[in-house]
Amino acid sequence: MPAPALLVLDADPPPRLGRLTGKARIQHTDEAGLADRLPAADVLLVWDFTSDAVRNAWPGEGPRPRWVHTASAGVDRLLCPELIAADTVVTNARGIFEEPIAEYVAGLVLAMAKDLPGTLELQRQRRWRHREGLRVAESRAVVIGAGPIGRAVAGTLRALGVTVAVTGRTARPGVYGPDQLDRLVSRADWVIGAAPLTDTTRGMFDARLFGLMQPSARFINVGRGQLVVESDLIAAVSKRWIAGAALDVFEREPLDPESPLWDVPGLIVSPHMSGDTVGWRDRLGAQFVELYELWAAGKTLPNVVDKKRGYVPMHD
C-alpha cells in the first residue's frame, strides 16, 4: 500500500520534513497549483498560513484531503462553508506561540508603563527630561480571549503583579462571559485582544468599546487584525479617549506604507511578530511531524479545530 500523499502549501523557507521520508509521498505547491493538486492529497499542510488559497480552492471538484493542518494559531484564512461541512479534520499549531506572545504582551505593558518609546526618542534628540513612570504591579488588565494564548498572557501578567480578568465565549471557572465584558473594560488599565476571529468577534473593538475605557487605559491587540475597527482606534488614541495602544496584527497585512496608523502618536505598530522567536519555524515543522506520525498510526490528534466555532475548544 503506497504511503499517504502529503501536499504542502509552500512558503519560504519550506518545512523540514526529513523524518517523514518513506512515511509520506511529499509534494509541494504554490497558491496557483493548489486547486489542481488537492484531489490527490490525503493530507494538506498549510505552511503558508498567510494565504487565502485553501479557502479559495477547497470548493472545487474531486476528493479532498482527510486532514488539514495549518502552521498557525488562527484558522480563519482557510475555513469556508465547504470545508466546514466536510468530514476533513482541521488542526492548528496550538502550543507553539502562546508563551512568546505572552512575553511580547508583557514587554509592551512594561514599555508603555515606563514610557520606553519616549525615552528612546529623547535619547535620539539628546534631551534630558525626567518623567515618572507607572506601576505595573497592582494595575488591572482584562484579556479578551480565553484560549491558550489569552490564558498564557494572563498568567504572565499576573507574575508582574497585575490583577487580570479573562473573558471568553462562555462563562466558566476563571473565565467571565461576554455579559461582563463592558464592566471589566471600563475598570481596566490594560485591555488586551487575544480572541480568535469569528462572526461574533469581528470588529468588536470599536468606538463604543473604546469609549468605555478609562482615559488612562491602554489597548493591545495580538489576536486578529479584523477584531479592531482601525478608524475607531485611530480616533480613540488621537483624541486621547485612551492613553495609548499597540497593534501587532492588522486588517490588511503587510500594513500599507500610507496607512495613517504609522503616524498616530501613542500607537505602537509591530509587524505581526509577537509569536515569532528564533527557531519558531523549526518548532512548527517538528510539531507537524509528530502530528503526522500520530495520524498515520490511527491515533487521536490533538489541536483539533471546532470548524463551526473557528478555534480549538478548551476542555478544562
Side-chain angles (χ1 to χ4, degrees), residues 75-76 78-91 169 196-202 304-313:
V75 297
D76 51 277
L78 46 108
L79 291 181
C80 62
E82 292 81 3
L83 176 52
I84 292 171
D87 292 334
T88 300
V89 174
V90 175
T91 56
R169 181 174 179 267
L197 180 63
T198 66
D199 290 340
T200 302
T201 61
R202 187 182 301 274
V304 174
V305 173
D306 183 324
K307 293 184 289 183
K308 292 183 179 179
R309 294 185 184 183
Y311 54 88
V312 178

Side-chain angles (χ1 to χ4, degrees), residues 165-181:
V166 178
T167 70
R169 181 174 179 267
T170 57
R172 55 187 183 272
V175 178
Y176 292 92
D179 59 318
Q180 297 297 310
L181 179 61

Side-chain angles (χ1 to χ4, degrees), residues 225-305:
Q226 295 89 342
L227 300 179
V228 178
V229 180
E230 292 178 350
S231 58
D232 290 355
L233 176 63
I234 290 171
V237 178
S238 300
K239 297 177 181 179
R240 305 298 292 175
W241 298 347
I242 62 176
L247 299 179
D248 186 55
V249 287
F250 302 87
E251 184 175 357
R252 294 180 181 85
E253 297 181 5
L255 189 63
D256 192 297
E258 303 303 315
S259 170
L261 289 167
W262 293 106
D263 299 316
V264 178
L267 174 61
I268 297 173
V269 169
S270 59
H272 202 152
M273 58 180 285
S274 61
D276 302 346
T277 53
V278 174
W280 66 285
R281 291 183 179 88
D282 289 341
R283 289 188 287 274
L284 284 171
Q287 179 189 54
F288 174 74
V289 168
E290 292 174 3
L291 292 177
Y292 183 90
E293 290 174 343
L294 289 174
W295 178 82
K299 297 181 179 179
T300 301
L301 287 172
N303 297 8
V304 174
V305 173

Side-chain angles (χ1 to χ4, degrees), residues 3 17 23 41 48 80 94 108 125 160 163 175 222 235 238 247 269 291:
L17 302 176
K23 300 177 182 178
D48 184 3
C80 62
R94 174 178 167 180
L108 288 170
Q125 299 175 18
L160 296 175
T163 299
V175 178
V222 290
S238 300
L247 299 179
V269 169
L291 292 177

